[in-house]
Amino acid sequence: MCLTSYEQIMIEHWQSQIKAAAAKGAKLAIRGSGSKAFCGPVANGEIIDTREHVGIVEYEPNELVIVVRCGTRIADVEKAMADAGQMLAFEPPHFGEHATIGGMVASGLSGPRRPYAGALRDFVLGCKVLDGKGDHLSFGGKVMKNVAGFDVSRLLTGSQGTLGVITEVAFKCLPVPKAQQTRVFEFDAQTAIERMNRWYGEANPITATTWVGGKLYVRLAGAAPAVQSAAANLGGEALAIDADWWRNWREQKHEFFAGDQPLIRLACKSTAAWSDLASNAEQQAIDWGGAQRWLRASAAQLPAVRAWAKTQGGHAGIFRGANSEAERSEPLQTALAAVQAKIKASFDPYQVFSSL
Amino acid sequence: MKSASFFEALAALLPAENLKIAEEDMRPYECDGLSMYRALPKCVALPANEAELAAVMQLCHAHRVPVVARGAGTGLSGGATPSPDALLLSTAKMMRILDIDALGCTARVQPGVRNLAISEAVSQYGLYYAPDPSSQIACSIGGNVAENSGGVHCLKYGLTIHNIRKLRVVLMTGEIVELGTDALDAPGYDLLALMIGSEGLLGIVTEVTVKLTPKPQLAQVAMASFASVEAAGAAVGYIIAAGIIPAGLEMMDKIATEAVEGFVHAGYDLDAAAILLCESDGTPEEVADEMARVSEVLRNAGATDIKVSQNEAERLRYWSGRKNAFPATGRISPDYYCMDGTIPRAQLPRVLNVIAVLSAKYNLRCANVFHAGDGNLHPLIMFDANVPGELERAEEFGAEILELCVEVGGTITGEHGVGIEKINQMCVQFSPKELTRMHEIKHAFDEHGLLNPGKAVPTLHRCAEFGKMRIGQGKPMPFSDLPRF
Ligand SMILES: Cc1cc2nc3c(=O)[nH]c(=O)nc-3n(C[C@H](O)[C@H](O)[C@H](O)COP(=O)(O)OP(=O)(O)OC[C@H]3O[C@@H](n4cnc5c(N)ncnc54)[C@H](O)[C@@H]3O)c2cc1C
């Protein structure tokens, strides 16, 4: 591996930290800025601070590829890309000004553009990882298409720090659309679900849809003439300063997310009919073309919500305010849990990192 | 050794017509699209449904009989090549489209369903299945999942992995699992992503839920001629630099256009050293806007001629040449060997120059077709297997191309998979520790190593042998000093 000396020092430092922990049977907590600690497994032990490993290693806008070290702020990466007219198309939530790329990849969260552009993992081309033995491994690469060996870099995406320290990631970049506009409609929830699905199927240039507080927000983006004609076809009212609206929504700064009541995230098929799930309409929002729903509800309501999600081909968990891993994420089928445990054991045989 | 108890038990699980044991019945299965590797399997099982398939797997597991899955057998890396001690499991009797959700834009299908059959079945709803390998009339969706196949439209619409929601998979033990959900994600590790592209090494896919894409209102393709391959390669970079992600961006060199023109009469400019096909799709406004910008970029990049398709028939004709490039090459040469490396696009001129040099060195012609937009090369090496030594020369030529791809920061396979074909080059691309991790991942799914053994991920022993052989030839392993990321 061709490391610069700075990189070498950093990696070697972490390697010795990992090996020492493994020898002692101690735990390590992989930590960036801590912006997403609330929605991941509990991390105990001596801290590996990923913010010590920063920088854009390589950015070739013409290749549509950016390679970034784990501690780099998402904001800095997005700034560099915006300067070249490009973006991270999965529109990641930051949940904090200092949120890092490593934390973003480890938590695997995507934003409003998810159903239309793809998920974070869809844009990961390659990863380097320091595993629980202190080995620095590289999977995938920095080219658009690569099927050599198992797709381990996508396995690492969303693994929440349980498999190792993701040290470097290569992403596919996309150009920022030339024009953007958001249309707002007063619809009840069921009508909104129906429109989100139908309008997508009619090949409109839609890049986000959210229903909250009795209103459906539809973001159109693409070539200016296409956005204009779609806006005219769909109708509704234009939303002023719409970029701010979507940023607030993505960052969960919208008033829907205010207050201390737990926030349940429910994933289901996009066409699942509206169900009030024992809360009133103001306490539920519909996102991602219908495939992601947010509920303000108590932990006691979770079993009923999960039962419903299951009938709709999905799953649910408490996103903010969970008291346990079981509340956060649904259990896996036994055979899959066994596979997952073996994968965990191969990356982290001494259980240095957070548990599953 | 054909063990009697295994065959008796197997015969009890499947109707007679779904089990083939006689040599003449097994002949059709002796190779996939990489026909230089051939072998007869132990037997061929063609289960008609998931329950039958799971029972066969359970039996094989109990008897420790290896299993090689086979879809349509169009794979180009020997992934479905049989092995004499392994049962060949064909999905050819699992060809039903189970469910279409037109509003939710998904379809649930069995693994043997042909890629194009999905698009045909959902066409009435204004939808299609986006990944379109050139083999799409023949190849199965199960094979596509196993190879993470791409197509000429995957620059904009993604590869197989970007278009799959959920899989049902039978593990080697016969256990049935679901990966992914009907929503856009699933709890736990992303085992769905891991399964896609795993070349039949982790489990057998028995049901696939695909994402469907709305048919664009309009599509148009521009065909541009260039006086040099370098100029065409540079034009690709300029298009991307202009902030355009075309629906398709393909390139063919003169040897390739000459081969296809005699076969399909696509109307290609045979005076050009290379042509580019650049497609726009979307609303009529979008297409008009993008086509104008594309044409300007192409002109500034030195295109000697630009034609834009004026109707659907013309668009399909322009594409027909590209989509028939492989069979067309088969018509001008007794045999051809299709390579599949991916490189950072900026390296295109350098790599093409080296390929030309290698072509002279091995004294074998080589046509070049590329998924240019994403840097995926398909050099087609022409040879005659009946001429002693030509096959070996073709293979060596191919191996050098793959190692060159790794050297310039790319990969040995963009979409055709490793199979048995590129197994040695995996030793060049990955370190022993990385390969070991892949073996451990396989072990997590398939404890006894019974699924498609010997494919995709080489043993360290094999890499050591390969290394020795190369050093014997005076070629050191380009391992340690390479920036492989
Ligand atoms: C003329 C031609 C053009 C081609 N063009 C393209 C192209 O543009 N893009 C591209 O990506 N590929 C292309 N290919 C390669 C090939 O068509 C693809 O790899 C295709 O996905 C293979 O599908 P198949 O059903 O034929 O699979 P097979 O060849 O039967 O099998 C391929 C692999 O998948 C495994 N497998 C099959 N079914 C299952 C299952 N149900 N569960 C688990 N594993 C399974 C097999 O074990 C094997 O390893 C082309 C091939 C030809 C001959």
Side-chain angles (χ1 to χ4, degrees), chain A residues 62-63 114 121-122 131 135 138 145-147 162-163 168 178 200 265 313 315 333 340 346 356, chain B residues 162 176 178 182 184-185 189-190 214 241 293 342 345-346 374 376 411 413 415 433-434 437 440 485:
Chain A
N62 287 2
E63 298 283 342
R114 160 68 185 96
R121 70 99 134 124
D122 293 327
D131 70 7
D135 287 331
S138 170
K145 290 167 85 176
N146 187 355
V147 294
T162 61
L163 297 179
E168 198 175 294
K178 299 263 182 252
Y200 170 70
R265 175 182 184 268
H315 55 100
Q333 227 180 313
Q340 186 163 289
S346 90
L356 279 169
Chain B
H162 305 114
I176 299 169
E178 284 196 357
D182 294 318
L184 297 179
D185 43 40
Y189 293 157
D190 198 339
R293 290 199 290 143
T342 304
R345 252 184 295 89
D374 32 38
N376 188 191
T411 176
T413 173
E415 58 180 15
K433 281 182 175 164
E434 289 154 1
R437 186 55 39 81
E440 288 167 358
F485 185 65

Side-chain angles (χ1 to χ4, degrees), chain A residues 141-191:
Chain A
K142 51 172 191 182
V143 286
M144 291 296 133
K145 290 167 85 176
N146 187 355
V147 294
F150 298 135
D151 200 344
V152 181
S153 43
R154 293 196 168 102
L155 170 71
L156 292 167
T157 305
S159 62
Q160 315 222 67
T162 61
L163 297 179
V165 187
I166 294 168
T167 57
E168 198 175 294
V169 188
F171 299 97
K172 175 176 178 175
C173 317
L174 282 185
V176 175
K178 299 263 182 252
Q180 170 173 313
Q181 202 187 119
T182 298
R183 309 299 294 181
V184 188
F185 305 81
E186 302 248 354
F187 284 145
D188 62 47
Q190 184 54 38
T191 308

Side-chain angles (χ1 to χ4, degrees), chain B residues 69 71-75 79 133-135 140 143-144 146-147 149-150 199 203 205 326 415-416:
Chain B
T74 69
S134 303
S135 51
S140 74
N144 290 175
E147 300 288 9
S149 299
E199 302 196 23
V205 175
F326 298 178
E415 58 180 15
H416 294 166

Side-chain angles (χ1 to χ4, degrees), chain A residues 145, chain B residues 32-33 53 68-81 89 91 111-112 132-136 138-152 195 198-201 203-206 322-323 326-327 336 371 376 378 414-417 419 452 455:
Chain A
K145 290 167 85 176
Chain B
D32 64 6
L53 193 149
V68 176
R70 179 185 172 100
T74 69
L76 291 172
S77 55
T81 308
L89 188 69
T91 57
D132 58 343
S134 303
S135 51
Q136 70 185 140
C139 63
S140 74
I141 188 73
N144 290 175
V145 168
E147 300 288 9
N148 188 17
S149 299
V152 297
M195 184 62 60
S198 65
E199 302 196 23
L201 268 72
I204 309 291
V205 175
T206 52
R322 169 62 189 88
K323 291 216 169 190
F326 298 178
Y336 70 93
H371 303 299
N376 188 191
H378 290 320
E415 58 180 15
H416 294 166
N452 219 1
K455 313 267 179 74

Side-chain angles (χ1 to χ4, degrees), chain B residues 68-309:
Chain B
V68 176
R70 179 185 172 100
T74 69
L76 291 172
S77 55
T81 308
S83 148
D85 63 346
L87 174 141
L88 189 81
L89 188 69
S90 163
T91 57
K93 301 232 157 163
M94 297 176 70
M95 299 213 17
R96 279 174 41 226
I97 293 181
L98 301 169
D99 184 40
I100 297 170
D101 177 357
L103 185 61
C105 295
T106 59
R108 198 159 55 84
V109 306
Q110 289 188 322
V113 171
R114 289 174 306 113
N115 172 299
L116 189 62
I118 302 176
S119 290
E120 286 168 354
V122 302
S123 168
Q124 56 183 312
Y125 306 107
L127 302 169
Y128 73 114
Y129 175 64
D132 58 343
S134 303
S135 51
Q136 70 185 140
I137 18 170
C139 63
S140 74
I141 188 73
N144 290 175
V145 168
E147 300 288 9
N148 188 17
S149 299
V152 297
H153 289 94
C154 62
L155 179 61
K156 181 165 171 186
Y157 293 102
L159 305 159
T160 303
I161 189 160
H162 305 114
N163 290 278
I164 301 294
R165 282 284 156 76
K166 185 166 99 173
L167 297 173
R168 276 175 75 86
V169 171
V170 175
L171 301 180
M172 192 60 230
T173 52
E175 285 165 291
I176 299 169
V177 294
E178 284 196 357
L179 306 179
T181 66
D182 294 318
L184 297 179
D185 43 40
Y189 293 157
D190 198 339
L191 301 181
L192 174 63
L194 193 59
M195 184 62 60
I196 297 173
S198 65
E199 302 196 23
L201 268 72
L202 302 182
I204 309 291
V205 175
T206 52
E207 211 177 277
V208 185
T209 303
V210 298
K211 170 185 156 196
L212 301 172
T213 302
K215 276 195 251 179
Q217 297 169 21
L218 182 69
Q220 252 184 337
V221 63
M223 182 165 76
S225 309
F226 288 88
S228 73
V229 177
E230 286 82 358
V236 171
Y238 297 141
I239 291 173
I240 305 286
I244 301 169
I245 302 293
L249 187 50
E250 298 281 315
M251 179 168 154
M252 299 169 80
D253 72 2
K254 192 171 162 98
I255 305 182
T257 52
E258 278 172 350
V260 298
E261 203 48 34
F263 185 45
V264 294
H265 312 294
Y268 292 162
D269 177 357
L270 298 181
D271 294 328
I275 63 161
L276 274 187
L277 290 170
C278 181
E279 181 152 290
S280 269
D281 69 6
T283 63
E285 298 86 353
E286 243 171 330
V287 174
D289 180 85
E290 196 170 283
M291 265 298 149
R293 290 199 290 143
V294 163
S295 301
E296 192 191 323
V297 174
L298 290 171
R299 255 192 311 276
N300 292 341
T304 52
D305 188 27
I306 302 171
K307 288 201 182 84
V308 177
S309 65

Side-chain angles (χ1 to χ4, degrees), chain A:
Chain A
M1 234 171 271
C2 174
L3 301 179
T4 65
S5 59
Y6 154 74
E7 246 189 300
Q8 203 132 23
I9 293 165
M10 200 59 246
I11 298 297
E12 280 169 12
H13 168 64
W14 283 342
Q15 279 173 326
S16 54
Q17 217 178 335
I18 292 169
K19 285 179 182 161
K24 280 188 297 199
K27 288 259 172 211
L28 291 174
I30 309 169
R31 208 179 153 86
S33 77
S35 65
K36 296 175 191 71
F38 72 89
C39 61
V42 187
N44 292 315
E46 198 189 337
I47 286 176
I48 288 203
D49 189 340
T50 63
R51 288 171 303 178
E52 293 168 30
H53 193 49
V54 288
I56 294 172
V57 182
E58 210 180 306
Y59 180 31
E60 262 324 315
N62 287 2
E63 298 283 342
L64 298 174
V65 175
I66 190 163
V67 183
V68 186
R69 296 198 185 104
C70 57
T72 319
R73 295 186 329 141
I74 309 173
D76 293 337
V77 173
E78 288 185 330
K79 168 78 171 58
M81 293 174 77
D83 289 345
Q86 296 186 341
M87 62 179 184
L88 293 171
F90 46 92
E91 224 179 338
H94 297 205
F95 296 150
E97 192 186 343
H98 299 286
T100 64
I101 287 290
M104 173 187 91
V105 173
S107 35
L109 301 175
S110 308
R113 206 180 290 266
R114 160 68 185 96
Y116 308 101
L120 191 162
R121 70 99 134 124
D122 293 327
F123 291 86
V124 169
L125 301 175
C127 275
K128 286 187 192 172
V129 63
L130 266 173
D131 70 7
K133 293 188 267 190
D135 287 331
H136 200 203
L137 309 175
S138 170
F139 297 100
K142 51 172 191 182
V143 286
M144 291 296 133
K145 290 167 85 176
N146 187 355
V147 294
F150 298 135
D151 200 344
V152 181
S153 43
R154 293 196 168 102
L155 170 71
L156 292 167
T157 305
S159 62
Q160 315 222 67
T162 61
L163 297 179
V165 187
I166 294 168
T167 57
E168 198 175 294
V169 188
F171 299 97
K172 175 176 178 175
C173 317
L174 282 185
V176 175
K178 299 263 182 252
Q180 170 173 313
Q181 202 187 119
T182 298
R183 309 299 294 181
V184 188
F185 305 81
E186 302 248 354
F187 284 145
D188 62 47
Q190 184 54 38
T191 308
I193 293 169
E194 196 264 334
R195 293 296 153 84
M196 286 173 171
N197 281 281
R198 187 152 59 80
W199 285 343
Y200 170 70
E202 289 168 357
N204 288 296
I206 294 176
T207 64
T209 46
T210 296
W211 179 86
V212 62
K215 288 190 174 127
L216 172 63
Y217 298 80
V218 177
R219 186 176 65 192
L220 301 165
V227 170
Q228 274 152 23
S229 73
N233 280 342
L234 301 186
E237 302 279 323
L239 178 69
I241 354 180
D242 69 327
D244 289 353
W245 194 91
W246 288 105
R247 190 175 317 107
N248 265 333
W249 178 253
R250 180 192 80 196
E251 294 301 324
Q252 303 194 340
K253 299 259 173 67
H254 185 279
E255 62 189 21
F256 173 84
F257 297 102
D260 297 333
Q261 207 182 13
L263 174 68
I264 297 182
R265 175 182 184 268
L266 186 162
C268 58
K269 62 182 184 198
S270 64
T271 52
W274 165 256
S275 163
D276 63 11
L277 294 165
S279 57
N280 63 38
E282 279 75 65
Q283 286 170 307
Q284 189 176 157
I286 306 169
D287 217 356
W288 285 9
Q292 172 169 267
R293 304 189 187 186
W294 299 102
L295 274 83
R296 305 310 304 267
S298 69
Q301 286 166 284
L302 186 60
V305 173
R306 282 186 168 165
W308 185 82
K310 201 177 166 105
T311 66
Q312 304 302 322
H315 55 100
I318 297 183
F319 189 79
R320 270 182 203 274
N323 291 309
S324 66
E325 201 40 45
E327 281 184 358
R328 209 185 317 278
S329 184
E330 294 204 24
L332 300 186
Q333 227 180 313
T334 323
L336 286 185
V339 167
Q340 186 163 289
K342 287 182 198 161
I343 291 175
K344 162 79 174 161
S346 90
F347 275 87
D348 184 23
Y350 310 111
Q351 300 181 42
V352 172
F353 303 120
S354 306
S355 323
L356 279 169

